[in-house]
Amino acid sequence: MRKWLGRIGFALVVVLIVGFVTLASWEPFWAKRDTIRLSDQAYTAEIVRDEFGVPHIYGKTDADVAYGVAVAHAQDDFETLQDVIAMARGRYGALAGEDGAAVDYVYHLLDARGTAERHYPSLPADTRALFEAYATGLNDYARDHPGEVRLGNLFPVDGTDIATGFALRQPFFFGLNNVIEPLVAGTDLLPEFGPPTPKGQQARAFPLPWAEDGALSGSNAFAIAPQKSGDGTTRLVSNSHQPWRGGVAWYELVVESEEGWHYAGANFPGSPFPFLGHNEDLGWTNTVNRPDMTDVYQLVMDESGTKYRLGDKWLPLEESSITLPVKLGPLVLPIPRTVYRSVHGPVIRNDKGTFAIRYGGIDNIGQLDAYYRLNKAKSLDEWQAILARMDIPSTNFIYGDAKGNIAYVYNAAIPDRPKGYDWRGILPGDDAKAIWKGPVAYEALPRYINPASGWLYNSNNTPFTAAGPGSDLSPASVAPEMGVELKQTNRSHRAWKLMSEAAVIDLPTLKRIKYDTGYTREGYVADLWTELEKLQLDPASELGKARQLLIDWDFDADSKGPGDALALLMIKDFMSAEYQNKPLPNVREKLAWAVDHLKAHFGRIDPPAGELLRLRLGNVDLPLDGGSDTLRASTTWDIADDGRLAVKHGDSFIQFVEWAPGKRVSSQSIQPFGAATTRPDSPHYTDQAGLFVQHGLKPVHFWREDVLANATSRTTVTHRPNR
């Protein structure tokens, strides 16, 4: 008996070992591809790095440059590039566990791969050449650095893989995830920011790319015309607020080819070209806007749950079985799921019913070509003609050029919705007339071209405050069905006030406005302070003293006043609630938490805010100013063990561009850390941090002679087919 039990026990051990090995190793074999199409072209690029490690990539052709972009970025941050590629392969869960699997589910739900495969072959040949070259650069780096590859069979990749990443990530910028999440959970959809349509109330929220923290982000942008600048110079300021690390963190670069591509700016990991910045003739920057881009339809299902009604027909619900790889310690679990689609778009089932989603830019990857063409545009008319294609699904564009033009386009592929429906609510899924076919015309979008005021700005606010008194557009100029937001941010209140009051917006004035740390007692800030004033507290208690500090506060997060630290801790959650249209927090509870936090970690309720708010990475630990929703943005943070707030999201890539009379374009820029934020051994891991906290800028070496005069390294990278 013991002998048999021993054999059984041994067999169980063997089974467990086999199971463990299988779960630890199945995913790369499952993901292996034998039919991937690799480029047969040769590429050569020169990578010149300046004193801050910013790569300047040169090549004979645009494709050569794109190859160099991939290699240079991989040299600085191959870790994040692999995250982005894993997302584009539906394998992020194998790296990031459950959170990654949620992204993989959306990858399948939106049919990101199918969208790319359907439309990538029809893109212009030179655009595809750019993406194939970029993919080749990633493949070559992975081949030459196998010890850095984190997931088996992640490489090689091709242009379709890179295009898939675009198809997956873009809808997150206008908030599709905040529609998907409540539908999956079966909870109510949150309000949105557009005006109510005649039949109903508002129904959805505005988020930014990733999870709840994304909903707290924002950006600023400024354009000043020559007549307002004091010295005849056109100025453009890019001040995006993105996470400081990760898949949507800015990476600075300058590109130049012999085919006329010459651009200085920044991209996201996974892109062969910059998304914002400037060329010799013109430049632009972006801020996220909040139009109603997503519609939800409730389907009428038959008793079997396999067909839905559309008009007088019953159509089969498309159904696909998928496998989500989910990393759990050393194992990767295969989790089966099912995704559905209807003629409307992706379908989600929950306890309340079956719901289809349709969103602006659905089944379109034209942005891959549009951004490339924008990089090479030479005039305002050419630039607008590219935007007018409506291929870039959403984001405000603020523009300036060498001829003195400034512009602001509320760009969004807003659905061209017929009247008569409650577009802020749940739509009838059986009504074929409620399924719109494409976006509104470009001419329907709010736009400003050379306003009389001589200035433009956006701080993630309604486009109806952008150019000052007498120049701002009227909300009545846009149909309510478009869902254009009417909300303001504190940054918008401040920017509009400061710019309207300035007789001249010269460079010192513009810098003062951009780095402003003030709050205006309007909106959610006013609501918070009104509630503070209503609190009945013992003035001798810690809560009472804290309340009085806030009542006496100067509404300036400059890290100088005794109430700044308390205000920082109080405002963020109120900003969060306003940005997502959620109920405001309980003021007394929030005040008690802030007091407890400061007492526990600083022994007082009025420490200098610079001791609380920190820029931290590696050995760098520096004080910051600003706060959530100030023009000098220190928006979100992680609370460290010592109670400090380690900022992770806020002012990120900042660029000041100038076209001065009779001079070539020039620019300056800054990043919070450096060019190599995942390479602790690099001298450019945090070498910009000191300048960043001092509101400093570094030169952008746009012209080759300047690059070579400040070069710290020059390398040539080459790809030969069949190597």
Side-chain angles (χ1 to χ4, degrees):
M1 184 68 177
R2 288 182 180 179
K3 185 176 180 180
W4 280 104
L5 286 175
R7 289 178 179 176
I8 293 171
F10 178 76
L12 287 174
V13 169
V14 171
V15 169
L16 289 173
I17 291 173
V18 170
F20 182 89
V21 171
T22 300
L23 290 175
S25 60
W26 70 274
E27 199 275 343
F29 293 101
W30 168 77
K32 183 175 173 58
R33 301 181 297 177
D34 297 320
T35 58
I36 185 169
R37 189 185 68 82
L38 300 177
S39 173
D40 58 0
Q41 300 297 307
Y43 307 106
T44 298
E46 182 185 26
I47 302 171
V48 182
R49 292 189 181 271
D50 65 21
E51 67 270 38
F52 286 93
V54 174
H56 301 250
I57 300 118
Y58 299 92
K60 183 177 181 180
T61 68
D62 291 355
D64 287 329
V65 171
Y67 173 80
V69 168
V71 174
H73 203 160
Q75 291 171 347
D76 288 331
D77 192 3
F78 191 48
E79 178 180 339
T80 301
L81 284 166
Q82 291 180 76
D83 286 340
V84 171
I85 294 300
M87 290 180 187
R89 296 278 308 276
R91 300 178 61 195
Y92 192 41
L95 287 176
E98 188 176 352
D99 290 342
V103 176
D104 294 340
Y105 168 76
V106 176
Y107 161 90
H108 291 286
L109 179 71
L110 302 187
D111 191 27
R113 171 70 49 177
T115 299
E117 290 177 345
R118 283 190 294 275
H119 301 295
Y120 182 78
S122 63
L123 290 173
D126 57 345
T127 299
R128 284 184 281 115
L130 212 68
F131 279 76
E132 298 299 335
Y134 181 83
T136 303
L138 295 181
N139 294 336
D140 283 2
Y141 188 89
R143 179 201 62 210
D144 295 340
H145 301 82
E148 294 186 33
V149 176
R150 298 158 54 208
L151 188 60
N153 286 330
L154 187 59
F155 298 96
V157 294
D158 62 14
T160 303
D161 292 314
I162 309 303
T164 300
F166 278 68
L168 171 63
R169 291 196 292 173
Q170 177 59 40
F172 282 77
F173 280 88
F174 57 73
L176 187 60
N177 56 315
N178 269 24
V179 174
I180 292 173
E181 288 174 5
L183 285 178
V184 170
T187 57
D188 292 337
L189 295 166
L190 294 170
E192 62 176 41
F193 289 88
T197 47
K199 285 192 174 184
Q201 302 300 314
Q202 302 178 25
R204 281 180 292 287
F206 160 71
L208 280 166
W210 311 112
E212 187 171 1
D213 272 354
L216 310 187
S217 64
S219 299
N220 304 317
F222 309 92
I224 312 299
Q227 69 268 26
K228 190 70 175 182
S229 67
D231 57 3
T233 298
T234 304
R235 291 190 173 89
L236 176 70
V237 178
S238 177
N239 178 207
S240 178
H241 304 164
Q242 287 294 117
W244 289 358
R245 302 177 74 179
V248 286
W250 290 115
Y251 179 71
E252 184 176 8
L253 70 167
V254 181
V255 295
E256 184 173 358
S257 80
E258 295 178 21
E259 293 182 329
W261 185 22
H262 189 189
Y263 200 93
N267 70 356
F268 291 149
S271 170
F273 39 61
F275 288 123
L276 48 75
H278 69 89
N279 60 31
E280 182 175 354
D281 301 295
L282 58 83
W284 73 86
T285 186
N286 301 107
T287 62
V288 172
N289 51 9
R290 318 177 191 186
D292 177 8
M293 293 283 285
T294 308
D295 293 316
V296 178
Y297 302 77
Q298 184 160 14
L299 302 183
V300 178
M301 305 300 297
D302 69 357
E303 291 184 0
S304 71
T306 63
K307 294 182 179 180
Y308 62 97
R309 188 174 68 201
L310 188 65
D312 58 358
K313 297 180 180 178
W314 289 93
L315 304 178
L317 188 66
E318 296 180 31
E319 180 177 327
S320 300
S321 298
I322 62 171
T323 299
L324 302 178
V326 183
K327 183 177 177 61
L328 184 65
L331 308 180
V332 177
L333 305 180
I335 305 299
R337 287 289 183 269
T338 303
V339 292
Y340 305 92
R341 296 186 67 83
S342 70
V343 297
H344 310 75
V347 171
I348 296 173
R349 289 179 142 169
N350 61 36
D351 292 341
K352 297 181 179 180
T354 303
F355 299 89
I357 304 168
R358 192 168 182 80
Y359 53 91
I362 191 171
D363 200 37
N364 181 10
I365 58 169
Q367 61 176 302
L368 278 68
D369 180 69
Y371 272 114
Y372 176 35
R373 306 301 167 192
L374 287 174
N375 268 234
K376 301 180 76 169
K378 297 296 183 182
S379 69
L380 175 59
D381 287 344
E382 182 183 357
W383 183 83
Q384 280 206 89
I386 297 165
L387 285 187
R389 291 163 39 180
M390 306 296 280
D391 279 330
I392 300 175
S394 72
T395 188
N396 294 310
F397 279 80
I398 293 80
Y399 167 102
D401 68 25
K403 294 184 177 180
N405 297 303
I406 63 172
Y408 163 29
V409 178
Y410 183 88
N411 173 75
I414 299 172
D416 189 8
R417 301 176 173 105
K419 295 182 183 296
Y421 295 92
D422 175 13
W423 296 103
R424 304 292 94 83
I426 303 297
L427 296 158
D430 58 347
D431 187 346
K433 294 180 180 178
I435 305 175
W436 43 265
K437 305 302 182 185
V440 299
Y442 178 72
E443 291 73 22
L445 301 176
R447 287 177 295 152
Y448 297 81
I449 309 294
N450 296 322
S453 66
W455 55 266
L456 287 163
Y457 85 95
N458 185 264
S459 293
N460 306 109
N461 53 287
T462 176
F464 306 119
T465 54
S471 293
D472 283 334
L473 296 174
S474 167
S477 65
V478 175
E481 287 80 11
M482 289 175 62
V484 174
E485 68 265 28
L486 301 178
K487 288 250 178 171
Q488 294 287 4
T489 60
N490 178 76
R491 290 172 288 115
S492 172
H493 288 306
R494 291 291 296 175
W496 194 92
K497 178 179 184 294
L498 295 171
M499 297 182 82
S500 296
E501 290 174 349
V504 173
I505 305 179
D506 55 14
L507 183 57
T509 302
L510 186 55
K511 285 187 174 181
R512 176 175 58 83
I513 292 171
K514 186 270 145 302
Y515 287 106
D516 177 74
T517 53
Y519 285 92
T520 300
R521 189 166 172 170
E522 296 188 60
Y524 68 91
V525 178
D527 294 337
L528 168 54
W529 257 260
T530 297
E531 291 302 311
L532 282 168
E533 290 170 346
K534 291 179 182 178
L535 285 181
Q536 300 295 316
L537 300 170
D538 179 358
S541 67
E542 290 289 359
L543 279 185
K545 293 175 182 177
R547 171 187 174 278
Q548 194 58 49
L549 265 180
L550 292 170
I551 296 299
D552 296 337
W553 189 48
D554 62 0
F555 288 89
D556 196 334
D558 56 4
S559 296
K560 297 177 182 178
D564 286 7
L566 266 174
L568 280 172
L569 293 174
M570 292 292 293
I571 287 174
K572 177 189 165 186
D573 286 352
F574 284 80
M575 171 196 170
S576 172
E578 190 277 340
Y579 271 42
Q580 301 177 83
N581 267 348
K582 291 182 177 180
L584 296 180
N586 180 283
V587 174
R588 185 186 181 103
E589 291 177 1
K590 187 64 183 175
L591 182 63
W593 173 85
V595 167
D596 289 346
H597 182 85
L598 294 176
K599 290 286 288 184
H601 295 286
F602 298 91
R604 53 193 286 198
I605 62 173
D606 59 348
E611 292 185 13
L612 174 69
L613 195 68
R614 310 296 291 184
L615 184 150
R616 285 180 165 180
L617 185 64
N619 295 324
V620 169
D621 188 357
L622 298 170
L624 277 167
D625 58 352
S628 303
D629 204 14
T630 56
L631 289 166
R632 168 49 156 182
S634 296
T635 310
T636 70
W637 46 72
D638 291 322
I639 300 177
D641 291 341
D642 62 1
R644 269 63 177 180
L645 311 179
V647 177
K648 61 180 179 180
H649 195 156
D651 274 1
S652 48
F653 176 70
I654 301 173
Q655 186 182 54
F656 278 68
V657 189
E658 294 187 335
W659 288 273
K663 296 183 179 181
R664 300 187 299 182
V665 66
S666 64
S667 57
Q668 296 177 290
S669 67
I670 199 68
Q671 291 263 51
F673 298 130
T677 56
T678 60
R679 304 286 192 185
D681 295 334
S682 169
H684 307 298
Y685 185 52
T686 55
D687 60 339
Q688 298 183 45
L691 272 176
F692 180 84
V693 300
Q694 297 170 19
H695 304 176
L697 299 167
K698 62 177 182 57
V700 173
H701 303 299
F702 184 70
W703 304 100
R704 184 168 173 84
E705 61 266 29
D706 294 333
V707 178
L708 297 180
N710 293 277
T712 58
S713 69
R714 295 179 66 179
T715 58
T716 298
V717 293
T718 301
H719 171 78
R720 294 285 178 257
N722 303 317
R723 175 182 164 189

